Amino acid sequence: MDLALPLWFEIGSLVGLSLILLADLLLILKRPHIPSTKESSLWVVFYVTLALIFAGLMWIFAGGEFAGQFVAGWLTEYSLSIDNLFVFVLIMTQFAVPRRYQQEVLMVGIIIALVLRGLFILVGATVIEHFSPIFYVFGAFLIWTAIRQAFPGGDLDDDVKQENFVVRLLRRAIDISDHYDGAKLRTVVDGKKLWTPMIIVFVAIGVTDLLFAIDSIPAIFGITQSPFIVFTANIFALMGLRQLYFLLGDLLDRLRYLHYGIAFILAFIGVKLILHAMHVNELPFLNNGEPIEWAPEISTWMSLGVIVLSMTVATVASLWASARDRRAALAAADAARAAPRETGSGTDSDA
């Protein structure tokens, strides 16, 4: 079943979303500031509401199946985008980006991510159309990614090493000053034009976006094969990511089990892709090139349920564990404060 939407709806959607992103960028450039919790919350609610309205329009024009594919794809990409925020925090901290200008850095990162994901979507859609066994490859890749996500220690170090390698190459290639000059990329030091450290931050963000695009695009193709749904789901997932960064803030450190929820989602979609590949099998050495009839097809709505349940369980478990640790820390602090008093009273009684 192919997606059939009015051409005016597809063009209008892409134009409208582009204008919103452009307006968001101009707002940052005109008024760089640290958004308040209230401002960030309102923007996140606005973008989430916008995505749900779009899903409703998809339901009206294309039916519930495609609307479900969009919501499932959007939630999957949104989950992976939240995972991006952990790395963005590390980059901002590592390069000591002034908080006032972090919005601009994030917006540039979002634009880079959109461009990279757009290219990956075009390539992925073309490959899928002409080579259906690619689903086997995508499925195996997502399961491997899920294992990395669940046990991130070494892989995170590898990602940091890759970024540092790129940064070292950049420093050798161009002259970079030691200090920021607002949000500028170029500055003048002792009459000489230099790049500011902001160029390093943008490169680090770009490398990170590339790595995440490689992971996220196969995941959403496991939910839908419609390039339009894949691209719009990515746009909606990235819209509001900047505000979510400031809204979550320190909460990111408390979401300790989030990566397990994301790992489960990736593994589930990986299995779904392999089952789908078996269902439409064309490999001559497997079942004589015929579809494997017993391989079940996992429905869009089951996928949506698994995604929502996984993220809910991971979030609730993280917040519960953090609350438990805070209570334990407070109890330990109270015990430590009470200990000297008890010791002192015991000494006085002996005297």
Side-chain angles (χ1 to χ4, degrees):
M1 183 172 55
D2 294 326
L3 175 64
L5 281 173
L7 184 60
W8 64 264
F9 179 81
E10 294 190 2
I11 295 175
S13 299
L14 295 176
V15 170
L17 293 175
S18 299
L19 290 175
I20 292 173
L21 285 173
L22 180 61
D24 204 3
L25 178 60
L26 292 176
L27 183 65
I28 297 171
L29 295 176
K30 185 177 180 180
R31 193 170 66 93
H33 67 290
I34 302 173
S36 64
T37 301
K38 180 180 179 181
E39 178 186 346
S40 298
S41 301
L42 290 174
W43 275 108
V44 170
V45 169
F46 168 74
Y47 283 124
V48 169
T49 303
L50 200 62
L52 295 177
I53 291 173
F54 186 80
L57 293 173
M58 286 281 293
W59 191 302
I60 293 171
F61 289 110
E65 173 65 22
F66 290 111
Q69 289 180 11
F70 168 78
V71 174
W74 167 59
L75 288 177
T76 298
E77 293 299 321
Y78 206 49
S79 303
L80 293 171
S81 295
I82 292 175
D83 201 35
N84 281 28
L85 294 182
F86 287 94
V87 183
F88 288 166
V89 168
L90 291 176
I91 292 173
M92 300 289 189
T93 303
Q94 182 180 359
F95 297 108
V97 180
R99 193 165 175 83
R100 177 180 173 85
Y101 300 106
Q102 288 182 7
Q103 286 206 81
E104 296 180 39
V105 173
L106 289 169
M107 199 64 197
V108 170
I110 288 170
I111 292 172
I112 293 173
L114 279 174
V115 172
L116 290 175
R117 293 187 188 196
L119 294 174
F120 274 92
I121 289 166
L122 289 174
V123 172
T126 303
V127 173
I128 287 172
E129 184 178 356
H130 295 93
F131 186 64
S132 63
I134 193 66
F135 287 118
Y136 286 111
V137 179
F138 281 178
F141 175 74
L142 287 180
I143 293 173
W144 175 67
T145 303
I147 295 171
R148 287 175 48 213
Q149 184 75 29
F151 307 100
D155 292 306
L156 180 59
D157 292 340
D158 290 342
D159 290 345
V160 172
K161 287 177 183 177
Q162 289 178 27
E163 290 172 10
N164 288 341
F165 174 71
V166 174
V167 168
R168 288 197 300 271
L169 287 179
L170 189 64
R171 283 193 179 278
R172 283 200 286 264
I174 60 177
D175 295 324
I176 302 174
S177 68
D178 295 325
H179 304 287
Y180 290 96
D181 185 4
K184 296 179 181 177
L185 289 177
R186 299 279 281 173
T187 189
V188 178
V189 178
D190 298 330
K192 182 180 179 181
K193 278 195 170 186
L194 300 174
W195 294 94
T196 70
M198 194 64 78
I199 187 67
I200 299 178
V201 177
F202 286 158
V203 170
I205 291 284
V207 171
T208 300
D209 283 333
L210 177 61
L211 296 175
F212 276 103
I214 293 173
D215 289 346
S216 68
I217 297 306
I220 193 170
F221 270 118
I223 295 170
T224 178
Q225 279 81 63
S226 166
F228 177 76
I229 293 179
V230 172
F231 190 62
T232 51
N234 270 274
I235 292 177
F236 276 107
L238 292 171
M239 289 169 65
L241 190 63
R242 172 176 59 85
Q243 291 86 356
L244 193 63
Y245 172 88
F246 290 98
L247 177 61
L248 292 179
D250 296 334
L251 183 61
L252 285 174
D253 293 331
R254 295 166 57 191
L255 298 178
R256 64 180 72 179
Y257 300 133
L258 182 66
H259 64 285
Y260 289 120
I262 293 174
F264 186 81
I265 292 172
L266 291 174
F268 171 79
I269 297 175
V271 171
K272 179 182 176 181
L273 276 171
I274 291 175
L275 290 174
H276 176 73
M278 294 167 67
H279 193 73
V280 297
N281 178 60
E282 295 179 350
L283 293 177
F285 54 84
L286 191 63
N287 198 39
N288 296 320
E290 296 295 325
I292 302 174
E293 298 296 338
W294 60 261
E297 284 276 25
I298 299 175
S299 71
T300 298
W301 296 104
M302 181 180 289
S303 300
L304 181 57
V306 168
I307 293 165
V308 172
L309 183 62
S310 300
M311 294 309 297
T312 300
V313 170
T315 302
V316 171
S318 297
L319 296 179
W320 179 83
S322 295
R324 180 196 60 194
D325 290 348
R326 283 201 307 274
R327 288 194 300 269
L330 288 173
D334 291 340
R337 284 195 297 268
R341 289 199 298 269
E342 293 173 359
T343 303
S345 60
T347 304
D348 292 342
S349 63
D350 291 342

